[in-house]
């Protein structure tokens, strides 16, 4: 029989959300009638805005017409959509030629691993979205999981705590080739300021490092003083790639559509173009995003589409306010939720998996243990504001009762 890919064997045995699913399944096996409310995985729950659905439907019907049918598109995406994103999302500060349409930010994060090869070093925020580390390990960028520390020895972990406003101090950390930054952050809900991003860009220039900036939740930022893109910082186009998505902005988690920005100013140490290598990878591994999804994307960035998507995001932020009020009334400190759909709760020294189990079995609530996002996440619990309003209201009451007891 064929040998197993040894790199995958370096992954931790239990991926965070797989373990959550297993514990949820265990409860339901004992209590099939348990009325579970999921505040865990960040999946959207509200319908896609009507103007976008209309565009998706129209394009689907066109594919059934002999005169309007279209097959493969350009691997880099429909030009009109690239131009629309440049205009509406970046106010034309980024060229459409530097924007590449994809099937989502998560697949792009995986494909980016191929771009830089197995010997590139990396730093990740701690806590951070598990995919950054998992895709790195799968492609052989690091080995040696240390079960005592809960870390991979070859990865630089950048502690992000309330004490440092969830912003890593790169000057106190070893230099790496790649620096993963997510803002608004999953899981903490923190949004980095212009000044904080300016410092990160400065260090990247100084160290000749490259920032991979995950802006998938930028649509939730309501504070006009906060940056929605790393390219709002001067010089970022020389040291940063940005990935983003329609998933949370417009409810496209099941439609799958996103984009990456790979500026032409980016070069490897030998002077060769990062963008040209990215085009090679995209053209080889990817046959373009769905024609239907891209039609929906065009509708999503129309004036009406953006307005309806804002209403959708505001709905989830209102959910976050309801949950925050319940958590804080029980005497707990809560971060995030104002410019991001996640609440990061300080659980007063309790182990996060222990509180997860207590809320699961006593309150029938599914949450996400902070320990699953990295060592610094221990002592915190992530709550997602994605959900139906009546369930969020009920969950808030359950939370208040469980945390107060």
């Amino acid at each position: 029989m064929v040998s197993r890919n040894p790199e995958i064997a370096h992954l931790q045995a239990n991926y965070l959300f797989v373990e959550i699913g297993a514990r949820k399944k265990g409860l339901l096996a004992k209590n099939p009638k348990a009325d579970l409310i999921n505040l865990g995985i960040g999946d959207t729950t509200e319908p896609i805005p009507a103007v976008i659905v209309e565009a998706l439907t129209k394009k689907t019907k066109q594919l059934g017409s002999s005169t309007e049918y279209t097959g493969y598109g350009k691997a880099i995406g429909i030009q009109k959509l690239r131009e629309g994103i440049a205009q509406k999302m970046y106010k034309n500060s980024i060229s459409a030629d530097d924007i590449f349409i994809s099937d989502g930010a998560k697949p792009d994060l995986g494909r980016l691993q191929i771009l830089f090869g197995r010997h590139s070093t990396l730093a990740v925020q701690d806590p951070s979205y598990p995919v950054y580390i998992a895709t790195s390990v799968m492609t052989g960028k690091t080995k040696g999981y240390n079960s005592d520390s809960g870390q991979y020895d070859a990865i630089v972990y950048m502690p992000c705590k309330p004490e440092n406003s969830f912003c890593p101090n790169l000057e106190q950390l070893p230099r790496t080739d790649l620096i993963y930054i997510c803002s608004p952050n999953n899981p903490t809900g923190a949004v980095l300021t212009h000044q904080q991003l300016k410092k990160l860009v400065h260090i990247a220039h100084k160290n000749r490092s490259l920032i991979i900036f995950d802006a998938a939740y930028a649509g939730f930022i309501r504070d006009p003083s906060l940056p929605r893109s790393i390219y709002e910082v001067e010089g970022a186009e020389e040291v940063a790639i940005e990935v983003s998505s329609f998933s949370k902005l417009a409810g496209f988690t099941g439609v799958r559509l996103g984009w990456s920005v790979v500026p032409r100013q980016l070069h490897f140490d030998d002077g060769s173009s990062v963008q040209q290598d990215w085009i090679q990878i995209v053209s080889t591994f990817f046959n373009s995003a769905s024609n239907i999804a891209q039609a929906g994307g065009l509708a999503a960035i129309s004036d009406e589409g953006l307005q309806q998507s804002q209403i959708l995001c505001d709905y989830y932020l209102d959910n976050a306010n309801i949950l925050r009020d319940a958590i804080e009334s029980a005497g707990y400190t809560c971060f995030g939720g104002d410019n991001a759909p996640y609440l990061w709760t300080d659980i007063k020294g309790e182990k996060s998996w222990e509180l997860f189990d207590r809320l699961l079995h006593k309150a029938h609530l599914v949450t996400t243990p902070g320990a699953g996002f990295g060592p610094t996440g221990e002592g915190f619990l992530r709550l997602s504001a994605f959900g139906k309003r009546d369930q969020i209201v009920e969950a808030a009451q359950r939370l208040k009762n469980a945390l107060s007891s």
Side-chain angles (χ1 to χ4, degrees):
M1 183 59 71
V2 66
S3 298
R4 183 185 184 191
N5 180 347
E7 311 303 347
I8 295 179
H10 291 296
L11 290 171
Q12 291 175 253
N14 291 316
Y15 178 65
L16 172 61
F17 298 115
V18 174
E19 177 64 19
I20 289 173
R23 298 194 186 203
K24 174 183 171 182
K25 184 177 180 181
L27 170 68
L28 291 174
K30 296 178 181 179
N31 186 358
K33 295 184 179 180
D35 180 21
L36 289 180
I37 298 178
N38 194 346
L39 302 177
I41 296 176
D43 191 5
T44 51
T45 59
E46 297 308 295
I48 292 173
V51 66
I52 303 174
V53 172
E54 182 180 348
L56 293 168
T57 303
K58 180 180 178 181
K59 187 61 180 180
T60 303
K61 290 181 178 179
Q62 287 176 342
L63 294 178
S65 165
S66 60
T67 59
E68 296 183 285
Y69 172 80
T70 54
Y72 289 131
K74 290 184 178 180
I76 59 177
I78 295 172
Q79 184 64 20
K80 188 176 180 181
L81 179 56
R82 299 169 75 201
E83 292 172 353
I85 291 173
Q87 178 186 357
K88 295 297 183 67
M89 303 303 188
Y90 298 101
K91 297 180 174 59
N92 287 324
S93 63
I94 292 295
S95 169
D97 292 337
D98 294 339
I99 296 172
F100 301 85
I101 309 303
S102 73
D103 50 346
K106 190 173 184 178
D108 271 345
L109 289 167
R111 286 186 282 264
L112 280 169
Q113 299 296 341
I114 302 168
L115 179 64
F116 297 105
R118 65 183 301 169
H119 299 297
S120 57
T121 56
L122 66 146
V124 296
Q125 289 169 288
D126 178 22
S128 70
Y129 184 41
V131 168
Y132 306 143
I133 293 175
T135 55
S136 299
V137 174
M138 285 179 179
T139 52
K141 281 191 175 59
T142 184
K143 298 179 181 179
Y145 176 68
N146 188 323
S147 59
D148 293 330
S149 66
Q151 299 181 351
Y152 288 91
D153 295 332
I155 294 178
V156 173
Y157 290 76
M158 304 182 291
C160 295
K161 306 176 181 180
E163 293 82 358
N164 64 1
S165 301
F166 299 102
C167 181
N169 187 343
L170 295 180
E171 293 178 326
Q172 298 178 356
L173 296 168
R175 184 262 176 199
T176 59
D177 297 317
L178 307 177
I179 304 166
Y180 283 83
I181 298 292
C182 179
S183 179
N185 186 264
N186 176 13
T188 67
V191 184
L192 298 183
T193 65
H194 280 278
Q195 190 60 33
Q196 288 170 331
L197 284 185
K198 185 177 180 180
K199 288 182 180 179
L200 293 175
V201 168
H202 171 73
I203 292 295
H205 274 280
K206 178 182 176 182
N207 291 346
R208 298 182 63 81
S209 301
L210 191 143
I211 297 169
I212 298 177
F213 190 79
D214 186 344
Y217 296 96
F220 288 88
I221 295 177
R222 294 296 175 265
D223 184 342
S225 71
L226 294 173
R228 292 184 169 217
S229 167
I230 195 166
Y231 301 118
E232 293 182 35
V233 175
E234 185 178 357
E237 68 279 359
E238 299 171 358
V239 293
I241 289 173
E242 182 167 298
V243 296
S244 199
S245 172
F246 288 94
S247 287
K248 308 302 167 41
L249 172 68
F252 272 38
T253 52
V255 177
R256 309 308 304 144
L257 189 69
W259 70 89
S260 60
V261 182
V262 183
R264 69 192 70 183
Q265 293 95 327
L266 290 175
H267 292 88
F268 294 106
D269 280 342
D270 64 0
S272 59
S273 169
V274 173
Q275 185 184 97
Q276 287 304 309
D277 278 9
W278 181 240
I279 292 173
Q280 182 71 35
I281 289 170
V282 170
S283 300
T284 302
F285 284 84
F286 188 54
N287 272 340
S288 83
S290 157
N291 293 333
I292 298 171
Q294 291 191 75
L298 281 167
I301 60 173
S302 68
D303 290 342
E304 186 178 0
L306 288 171
Q307 183 181 25
Q308 291 185 10
S309 293
Q310 286 278 284
I311 293 172
L312 192 63
C313 292
D314 285 341
Y315 178 92
Y316 295 126
L317 290 174
D318 287 343
N319 283 350
N321 287 330
I322 294 170
L323 293 173
R324 183 193 295 106
D325 287 346
I327 294 166
E328 292 181 346
S329 67
Y332 287 75
T333 301
C334 197
F335 303 94
D338 45 1
N339 293 288
Y342 297 116
L343 296 161
W344 190 240
T345 303
D346 186 332
I347 56 177
K348 300 180 178 180
E350 187 171 356
K351 295 294 185 181
S352 57
W353 277 109
E354 291 178 2
L355 182 55
F356 169 89
D357 283 331
R358 180 155 64 91
L359 292 175
L360 179 66
H361 290 277
K362 300 298 184 182
H364 292 170
L365 294 175
V366 179
T367 57
T368 313
F373 297 100
T376 303
E378 183 57 272
F380 292 86
L381 200 71
R382 190 196 77 171
L383 302 178
S384 168
F386 294 111
K388 299 290 184 182
R389 181 60 49 80
D390 59 342
Q391 289 194 319
I392 292 294
V393 171
E394 172 62 24
Q397 187 58 52
R398 294 186 196 181
L399 269 173
K400 184 177 180 180
N401 293 339
L403 294 176
S404 298
S405 61

